[in-house]
Amino acid sequence: TRPDISFRVRNKAGEYRTVEQRSSIAFIDGKPAFLTGILRDVTAYRRTEALLQESEIKQRALFDNANAAIFVADPATGRVLDTNKKGEDLLGMERAEILRLNNLDMHPQQKRALYKRLFERHIKTPGRHHSYEAEVLRKDGTHVPVRIRSSYLRLGGRLVVQGIFEDISERKRIDD
């Protein structure tokens, strides 16, 4: 079997279609005797594939360029699965460092028990949105007050918790 090849053909109506061809050489007595082939119209598949790729690029751009820090975590383990540029800025860490964290690692040590209870509450109430104020711990050791809005999402057939973290330092400063 030869590798599939793709090319465009024009049908009777004058429309161009994308086809894939798979061919095989049949041998008789060890010598090539004839060629067989199958042509398959993949126009709709390729169009759908291109639209899906474009949609993925758009969604990733929206996520990466959001005006708030976004963290995605595994509800069973609390492991951070993804973040955006604002998440890196908020924690003062590179994305690769953040992806090695558990969600509790983002908070000051003395308040982790509280945040663990809040996270467990999220797990017990999928479908509900939660909002609360918290503090995150930056890599340099400084604490940043944030408003966290979290909810469950299904990504790739998997339930995850999405947290949108808004830096409320300025508001807290004004309140004080």
Side-chain angles (χ1 to χ4, degrees):
T1 300
R2 301 283 179 227
D4 289 350
I5 59 171
S6 295
F7 53 92
R8 284 181 7 160
V9 296
R10 192 162 67 184
N11 64 16
K12 288 181 182 180
E15 303 167 325
Y16 283 96
R17 310 295 289 174
T18 302
V19 296
E20 283 183 351
Q21 175 182 331
R22 177 171 287 179
S23 302
S24 297
I25 299 172
F27 292 87
I28 297 178
D29 296 327
K31 296 180 182 176
F34 56 91
L35 179 69
T36 64
I38 297 172
L39 292 178
R40 180 172 62 142
D41 185 345
V42 294
T43 306
Y45 173 79
R46 292 284 171 86
R47 189 176 301 127
T48 302
E49 194 175 56
L51 289 171
L52 181 60
Q53 185 177 20
E54 182 181 321
S55 177
E56 264 182 53
I57 290 168
K58 283 181 189 176
Q59 294 303 315
R60 189 72 209 184
L62 288 169
F63 177 79
D64 287 340
N65 297 304
N67 204 18
I70 301 174
F71 298 95
V72 177
D74 181 328
T77 65
R79 192 174 131 256
V80 178
L81 303 172
D82 205 356
T83 190
N84 62 357
K85 179 68 177 132
K86 286 283 189 178
E88 292 179 60
D89 295 344
L90 179 66
L91 297 182
M93 296 180 178
E94 296 291 323
R95 184 174 184 275
E97 293 175 279
I98 295 169
L99 298 184
R100 289 192 294 266
L101 299 177
N102 179 285
N103 68 322
L104 296 177
D105 298 331
M106 297 189 299
H107 300 289
Q109 184 71 38
Q110 64 274 22
K111 294 189 177 182
R112 288 184 185 169
L114 167 66
Y115 298 132
K116 182 178 182 183
R117 284 194 306 275
L118 289 170
F119 191 77
E120 288 169 350
R121 186 178 72 181
H122 296 286
I123 295 167
K124 292 176 184 168
T125 56
R128 290 199 49 215
H129 299 278
H130 299 274
S131 179
Y132 57 92
E133 289 187 8
E135 283 185 347
V136 294
L137 181 64
R138 292 179 50 81
K139 185 177 183 176
D140 65 9
T142 58
H143 295 205
V144 180
V146 292
R147 154 88 41 211
I148 300 175
R149 291 177 186 85
S150 64
S151 60
Y152 268 88
L153 296 175
R154 186 169 292 283
L155 295 177
R158 175 183 189 181
L159 271 179
V160 297
V161 175
Q162 172 189 275
I164 299 174
F165 289 50
E166 177 188 359
D167 183 342
I168 57 172
S169 299
E170 184 64 22
R171 194 198 85 206
K172 286 285 194 183
R173 189 184 62 74
I174 290 169
D175 287 349
D176 289 346

